Amino acid sequence: MDGVAWAQAVVGNTVYVAGTFTAARPSGSPAASNTTPRSTFLAYDITTGVLNSSLDVPLNGQALAVAASPTGRGSISAATSPRRAAATTTGSPTGR
């Protein structure tokens, strides 16, 4: 990625990443090549390093935290206010 990961949460083989970045690249790719736009939140497979292409949650500010629910199931939501932006994940967006 082209920035900073502030927090990560693992649910099964999926790693959810919250941070300050605008793009991600596949594991093993040189810097600034093969990038995929991702704004402050992404997920990838921990065993393969492959970016989860079905998860694209663009936020209008940096994401500082991400946490998984005790059951590993849930949904992703975002909320903004004039003072701050918040993003949370409570598990896999597919409920698995």
Side-chain angles (χ1 to χ4, degrees), residues 2 21-25 34-42 51-53 55-58:
D2 66 349
F21 48 85
T22 60
R25 59 186 163 89
N34 302 318
T35 60
T36 300
R38 286 293 182 269
S39 181
T40 70
F41 194 79
L42 61 83
L51 184 67
N52 181 332
S53 61
L55 178 67
D56 188 7
V57 183

Side-chain angles (χ1 to χ4, degrees), residues 56-79:
D56 188 7
V57 183
L59 303 174
N60 64 356
Q62 68 180 338
L64 297 175
V66 61
S69 73
T71 63
R73 299 175 62 126
S75 61
I76 295 172
S77 62

